[in-house]
Each structure stands twice: as C-alpha cells, then as structure tokens.
Amino acid sequence: MSGTRRTVVMSPQTRLARHRGGPRRPRRMPRLETAELERARELRRAQLTHGLPTLGALFALVLGMPLALSALPVLDEIRVSGVPLSWLVLVLVPFPTMSLLALRQLRRAETLERNR
C-alpha cells in the first residue's frame, strides 16, 4: 500500500445524522377524544371485516395454486417457448394477483374512511 492517507467521503446528511446521534425520544401519540376514539375503533373494525374476503382470496391463491397445478398435470406437458406452462403459471400469476388484491383492499379501506 502507498503511504497516502485515506480520505473519508460521506454525504453532509450522514455526517449530520452521526453528529446528532440516535433518536432523541419517542414521539407521543396524540390523545383522541372519546368521540374520535370510538370513530377510529369503528373504522378499524369495519376495515378488518372488509379485509376478510381479501385475506380469503390470498389464502386461496397461495394454497390453491399448488393444488390446482397438481390436479392438472397436463400443464407440465404443454410448453411455451420451451418452458412448461405450469412454471409460467407459477411465475406470472401470483404476484400480479396479489398486487391487484392489495390495490382493491386499499381502495375499499379508503372508501370506508371517506364514507364514515
């Protein structure tokens, strides 16, 4: 190694964050009044209730897809560009479906918040 001195390079934000140290103290959540607290509890309960079908669809997707693929072995024999169709189904179906389920659930939760 050469005898030159190493230079530490860091962003000003990093230097500032190191200087400040860790979080000073946790923030206290604001206290809700009784009416607001009851409304928040009711809204949470409604969102959880409306989320059950989405959760059921997610479980059906995750647990049902392997069962469906094992029940349809013909998908292993069909090839698309040399790749078995069952592999393509495993790659192309779950994540877009989960994204659509999440988007649907988010919209339903936001609708509940607006209407209540």
Side-chain angles (χ1 to χ4, degrees):
M1 271 190 83
S2 66
T4 60
R5 190 167 178 227
R6 293 180 65 190
T7 303
V8 178
V9 179
M10 71 174 77
S11 91
Q13 288 85 7
T14 305
R15 189 174 293 126
L16 186 61
R18 283 187 177 178
H19 178 70
R20 275 195 235 148
R24 294 192 177 133
R25 61 182 174 142
R27 292 185 181 180
R28 291 182 52 186
M29 293 297 290
R31 297 264 179 192
L32 297 177
E33 294 184 20
T34 307
E36 292 173 332
L37 183 62
E38 186 55 39
R39 180 181 176 271
R41 285 182 180 152
E42 179 184 329
L43 182 60
R44 180 176 180 268
R45 200 173 311 119
Q47 287 177 346
L48 287 174
T49 303
H50 280 83
L52 288 177
T54 304
L55 188 62
L58 178 66
F59 277 122
L61 174 72
V62 171
L63 299 175
M65 201 156 72
L67 295 174
L69 290 175
S70 67
L72 298 168
V74 71
L75 294 178
D76 290 332
E77 297 167 7
I78 301 172
R79 296 192 175 269
V80 177
S81 298
V83 179
L85 186 60
S86 61
W87 289 13
L88 289 175
V89 168
L90 283 173
V91 170
L92 298 176
V93 170
F95 294 107
T97 305
M98 284 189 259
S99 297
L100 290 174
L101 283 171
L103 184 62
R104 179 176 159 250
Q105 179 59 31
L106 176 65
R107 287 186 177 161
R108 290 173 74 185
E110 288 175 344
T111 302
L112 279 172
E113 286 182 17
R114 275 193 301 270
N115 295 338
R116 291 185 186 244

